[in-house]
């Protein structure tokens, strides 16, 4: 039941307890208890709205930064990641396999602000070997949500 609740909440966290209970064939109390247990055990971390910021007045820049690091003896990547994810600009941080070790998603008010963060705060860290910054120009899809899904009906109207 818990896995099904997680799938439902991952799709849309706006469902009521009653709606979730119907979907998983359980009582509201059972669903509420399961959700509380998952929050307490940090399986559910938080509910979040997905916002298309391009349709608002807020302006900011997102960038994906690939970072090659030298792991510290006895500490590996975890301590390095902890140091990096504490920067408020860092929205996401992933350990990856491939040419780079870490991938960061960061946000700033301008491209200059992002570049300044990389040059003055990230790159000088003693364990950072190299960085590669990629600016996000447009979001098409995020968390399974398509942003500009303005499919137009191209069928011809036939009248008799």
């Amino acid at each position: 039941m818990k896995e099904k609740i997680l799938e439902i909440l991952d799709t849309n966290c706006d469902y009521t307890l009653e709606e979730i209970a119907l979907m998983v064939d359980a009582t509201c109390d059972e669903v509420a208890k399961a959700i509380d247990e998952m929050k307490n055990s940090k399986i559910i971390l938080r509910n979040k709205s997905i916002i298309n910021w391009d349709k608002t007045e807020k302006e900011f820049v997102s960038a994906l930064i690939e970072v090659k690091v030298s792991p510290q003896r006895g500490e590996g990547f975890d301590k390095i990641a902890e140091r990096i994810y504490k920067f408020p600009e860092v929205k996401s941080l992933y350990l990856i396999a491939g040419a780079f070790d870490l991938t960061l998603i960061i946000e700033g008010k301008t491209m200059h602000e992002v570049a300044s963060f990389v040059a003055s705060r990230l790159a000088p860290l003693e364990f950072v070997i190299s960085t590669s910054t990629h600016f996000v120009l447009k979001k098409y899809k995020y968390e399974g949500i398509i942003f500009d899904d303005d499919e137009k009906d191209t069928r011809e109207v036939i009248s008799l």
Side-chain angles (χ1 to χ4, degrees):
M1 175 176 75
K2 286 184 178 181
E3 188 172 306
K4 182 66 176 160
I5 291 171
L6 290 172
E7 290 171 1
I8 291 166
L9 292 174
D10 191 40
T11 303
N12 184 348
C13 64
D14 288 335
Y15 285 119
T16 65
L17 285 176
E18 292 80 11
E19 291 170 324
I20 296 170
L22 279 171
M23 290 185 236
V24 299
D25 193 28
T27 67
C28 288
D29 288 340
E30 290 170 328
V31 170
K33 182 180 178 195
I35 290 172
D36 285 343
E37 287 173 1
M38 290 186 285
K39 284 181 179 179
N40 290 335
S41 60
K42 298 195 181 220
I43 294 170
I44 297 175
L45 300 174
R46 125 174 107 138
N47 298 332
K48 184 175 180 185
S49 297
I50 296 175
I51 299 166
N52 185 350
W53 289 105
D54 289 342
K55 295 195 181 252
T56 71
E57 298 297 316
K58 182 177 179 178
E59 293 197 23
F60 64 95
V61 176
S62 297
L64 182 143
I65 303 169
E66 297 169 324
V67 183
K68 181 83 174 151
V69 298
S70 176
Q72 304 301 299
R73 175 164 287 188
E75 296 180 358
F77 293 103
D78 293 343
K79 288 290 184 189
I80 294 170
E82 182 179 350
R83 231 166 117 210
I84 293 172
Y85 69 60
K86 287 185 176 180
F87 289 119
E89 296 88 348
V90 176
K91 300 301 174 192
S92 300
L93 174 61
Y94 307 98
L95 177 62
I96 60 171
F100 290 87
D101 301 306
L102 300 170
T103 298
L104 292 72
I105 308 286
I106 71 165
E107 290 180 357
K109 291 179 182 172
T110 64
M111 285 184 165
H112 181 268
E113 188 176 278
V114 169
S116 178
F117 167 78
V118 174
S120 65
R121 297 175 75 194
L122 180 63
L125 294 172
E126 65 275 4
F127 46 78
V128 172
I129 297 170
S130 66
T131 65
S132 179
T133 303
H134 310 275
F135 288 97
V136 175
L137 302 178
K138 181 176 181 178
K139 277 187 188 174
Y140 292 101
K141 186 175 184 179
Y142 176 75
E143 296 288 330
I145 305 295
I146 297 171
F147 277 51
D148 284 326
D149 193 16
D150 293 337
E151 287 187 34
K152 305 225 181 337
D153 187 352
T154 58
R155 297 178 292 175
E156 291 185 30
V157 177
I158 299 174
S159 59
L160 300 172

